[in-house]
Every structure is written in C-alpha cells, then in structure tokens.
Amino acid sequence: MRVVLASMWGKASGRYSLIVLAIWILVSLVSRFWTPIPIWTTDGYRIWQAPSRDHLLGTDGTGADILSWLMAGSATNLAISLLAVLLSGVLGLLLVMAMVSRRSGVSQTVVVLVDALISLPTVLLALILAVPLGPSIAVVVVACGFGYGLNLARIVRPQALLAAESDYVQSARHSGVGSFRIFCTHLVPNVIPVLCVQLSMSAGTSVLAESGLTYLGVGVPSGLPSWGHSLTTSVKFINVFPLTVLWPGLVVTMVVVALNLFGDALRDAIDPVTNPRLRAAVAATGWSTLQSGQSDDADHHVENAVHTGEGGQSCR
C-alpha cells in the first residue's frame, strides 16, 4: 500500500486526485459537526450577496451562506457516490460471474439480458423509481448503481473471459476447485485494474447524476443539502448572479475530474507490469517466502520418499 500511494503521489494527476479527495472527505466529516454558519440560518435582507468577510462565497436567494451549504452537501454527495459505487461493483461482479459461467445457457442468457437493459437510460430509471418512492437518495443510488453495474459488467467481461481460459484456471478446475472460489481468487485479481477505472468513473458520474436528477426534481429531497440543490436554486438567476452558480459548479467539476484521474492513477500504480516500483517491492518481499516455500516442499518430498522406502515400496 505504501508503494502504491507513493507511485500515485509521484504523478501530477495522482497527486491532484489524492489532494482533492482527501479534502472532500475531510470537509464531509467536519461539516457533520461544524459549518461557518448554520445551514438553516437565513437572512431576507442579505440575499444574493457577493463574497464578503461574513459570507466568504456569498449568499443565495434565501440569504443562506453558500459555503456552509456546499460543506454540508459534500457529505450527501460522498454518501451517494460510495453507495452507488458499492452497488454497481457488487452487481457488476455478479453479472460477470454469470457471464463467464461454464454453463453456456446461463452465460448467453445473462449476456443478452445485459445488452438489452444497458440501453435503459439512468434518468428514465430514476423517473420510474421516483413514482412510488418520491424524490430520495435511494432513487439516485439505485438508478446509478443499476446503470453503472450493467456497464461495468459489459466492459469487464472480455478480460474475465481471457483469464478464465488461462492454464492456471483450467488446472484449478481440474483439481476440483469450485467456480465461486476460482472467480474470487483468480478472475477478480485479473480485472482489478479495469475495475478500478470503471468504479472511479462511476463515482464521478454519480456526482453529475445527482445534480441532474435533483434539478429534475427526482433526486435529493429539498430537506437535505447537496451540490445539486445549490446548482438548482441558483441556475435560474445565472445571468444576474453568476457567482452563485460558479462555486457549486466549480466544486462538482474539481471532484469529478479528481475521481476520473484517481482511477487512472490507481490502475497504473497497482499493476506490476506498469509500475516497476511495485514489481521490485513484490520481488523483494516475496522472494524469501517463495524460497522457503520451495525448501519446505522439497523437504516434504524427501521425507515422503524416505518413509516410502522404509515401507519396502519402490520410489520413483
């Protein structure tokens, strides 16, 4: 982990993504206990104010402090991103496991089902879910997780199929190892680089989706702060008060770019083929273990041969 983080920090894109994401997480934690001004504090005499000493980023149409709302909304968007990534990752891996199944009927059925459902837009799915559930975080999470999970399964499937046809997977199958264990121990590690990129892109897209769905009225309800709410309440007056739209738009842009760059940097850092530092670290830490394991195996074979010889049987 230390080598991976150092490798990411050594690249400008990785350094930017780590800094922005660390600030995002820190602000989300701090906002649960403190904001410059309580988010529900409004002042009708100070609406649409420009940045000042009392309000560093100005106020919105209700007189609420924009900085406080952005800080409080960061926790909401972080929770949505994490839940959407978790749901899409679990759904995508389950679909991949079915798509690379040795049962051709199951795999072909799942492939056709994924190709059919992937054409369903995330916005349409959110609108359908909003009918029984109403505007809520669950609508955003389920819509994003379902759509991104299908896309993840379709992209990861070719690499998983390539790993499933490798010699070591075939040897494991002939040795009696179960399909689920093979998938977890052999196939998943081979698709981790692609998985990291797709999940980071899903996290970034979920931030954009939250803003769009909230603007349409089916996303985060009005009682919760979010970056989408900050944009929705300000975009109507962009020609008169452009700064109120600039700040939440800038925050969303910085976070989405950081999430996309984070996936690319993490993919290069955790792959020993593209990261010589990781390859050297693995070789340095694993050589002694490998040597001792080989010595133990050799001693075990010699001991078995000796016991077999003592029993009067032929040793070959």
Side-chain angles (χ1 to χ4, degrees), residues 40 69 135 214 219-226 229:
W40 303 117
W69 267 84
T214 302
V220 179
S222 58
L224 292 176
S226 69
H229 269 308

Side-chain angles (χ1 to χ4, degrees), residues 59 63 121 129 133 185 199 249:
T59 60
L129 292 174
L133 299 178
T185 58
L199 290 180

Side-chain angles (χ1 to χ4, degrees), residues 135-155:
S136 64
I137 293 179
V139 171
V140 181
V141 172
V142 173
C144 293
F146 184 79
Y148 303 155
L150 295 175
N151 187 62
L152 184 146
R154 189 176 184 182
I155 293 176

Side-chain angles (χ1 to χ4, degrees), residues 40-116:
W40 303 117
T41 299
T42 59
D43 189 351
Y45 296 100
R46 296 183 178 181
I47 62 174
W48 305 116
Q49 277 196 343
S52 62
R53 181 179 300 178
D54 296 330
H55 304 279
L56 296 180
L57 299 183
T59 60
D60 59 12
T62 62
D65 184 63
I66 294 179
L67 177 59
S68 299
W69 267 84
L70 290 178
M71 291 180 61
S74 63
T76 303
N77 283 84
L78 179 62
I80 291 175
S81 298
L82 292 177
L83 292 175
V85 166
L86 179 62
L87 179 59
S88 63
V90 172
L91 177 61
L93 289 177
L94 289 177
L95 290 174
V96 170
M97 183 171 62
M99 293 165 76
V100 300
S101 174
R102 300 182 66 186
R103 299 178 180 178
S104 59
V106 175
S107 61
Q108 293 298 327
T109 302
V110 176
V111 169
V112 173
L113 186 63
V114 169
D115 290 338

Side-chain angles (χ1 to χ4, degrees), residues 8-9 31 188 245 274:
M8 294 180 64
W9 187 261
S31 66
V188 172
V245 184
T274 59

Side-chain angles (χ1 to χ4, degrees), residues 3-314:
V3 174
V4 169
L5 291 177
S7 300
M8 294 180 64
W9 187 261
K11 299 176 61 176
S13 59
R15 192 180 307 116
Y16 168 80
S17 63
L18 289 175
I19 292 175
V20 172
L21 295 182
I23 294 175
W24 184 19
I25 296 173
L26 180 61
V27 171
S28 299
L29 295 176
V30 172
S31 66
R32 307 303 298 175
F33 308 99
W34 175 85
T35 54
I37 296 177
I39 59 174
W40 303 117
T41 299
T42 59
D43 189 351
Y45 296 100
R46 296 183 178 181
I47 62 174
W48 305 116
Q49 277 196 343
S52 62
R53 181 179 300 178
D54 296 330
H55 304 279
L56 296 180
L57 299 183
T59 60
D60 59 12
T62 62
D65 184 63
I66 294 179
L67 177 59
S68 299
W69 267 84
L70 290 178
M71 291 180 61
S74 63
T76 303
N77 283 84
L78 179 62
I80 291 175
S81 298
L82 292 177
L83 292 175
V85 166
L86 179 62
L87 179 59
S88 63
V90 172
L91 177 61
L93 289 177
L94 289 177
L95 290 174
V96 170
M97 183 171 62
M99 293 165 76
V100 300
S101 174
R102 300 182 66 186
R103 299 178 180 178
S104 59
V106 175
S107 61
Q108 293 298 327
T109 302
V110 176
V111 169
V112 173
L113 186 63
V114 169
D115 290 338
L117 293 178
I118 202 172
S119 60
L120 184 65
T122 302
V123 176
L124 179 59
L125 180 60
L127 293 175
I128 295 174
L129 292 174
V131 174
L133 299 178
S136 64
I137 293 179
V139 171
V140 181
V141 172
V142 173
C144 293
F146 184 79
Y148 303 155
L150 295 175
N151 187 62
L152 184 146
R154 189 176 184 182
I155 293 176
V156 172
R157 174 177 174 262
Q159 190 165 353
L161 282 175
L162 186 63
E165 297 174 356
S166 60
D167 294 336
Y168 56 88
V169 172
Q170 297 299 328
S171 300
R173 284 174 177 168
H174 291 312
S175 300
V177 181
S179 300
F180 182 76
R181 183 178 177 184
I182 289 177
F183 181 79
C184 295
T185 58
H186 295 300
L187 300 187
V188 172
N190 279 278
V191 301
I192 283 181
V194 180
L195 193 64
C196 291
V197 175
Q198 293 303 314
L199 290 180
S200 65
M201 292 180 62
S202 299
T205 310
S206 65
V207 175
L208 296 176
E210 183 275 325
S211 301
L213 294 176
T214 302
Y215 178 77
L216 294 176
V218 297
V220 179
S222 58
L224 292 176
S226 69
W227 295 340
H229 269 308
S230 299
L231 286 170
T232 301
T233 57
S234 305
V235 71
K236 299 178 182 179
F237 303 93
I238 187 173
N239 294 329
V240 184
F241 307 102
L243 285 179
T244 57
V245 184
L246 173 64
W247 302 125
L250 184 62
V251 170
V252 170
T253 302
M254 291 177 60
V255 169
V256 171
V257 172
L259 287 170
N260 291 335
L261 294 178
F262 178 82
D264 294 334
L266 183 60
R267 176 195 58 190
D268 297 336
I270 64 176
D271 191 353
V273 177
T274 59
N275 188 359
R277 298 177 61 181
L278 181 62
R279 188 164 59 248
V282 171
T285 57
W287 178 252
S288 60
T289 304
L290 178 61
Q291 291 292 91
S292 61
Q294 291 176 346
S295 300
D296 293 340
D297 291 341
D299 294 340
H300 181 67
H301 289 311
V302 171
E303 184 179 354
N304 287 340
V306 170
H307 287 301
T308 305
E310 291 175 355
Q313 298 178 359
S314 175

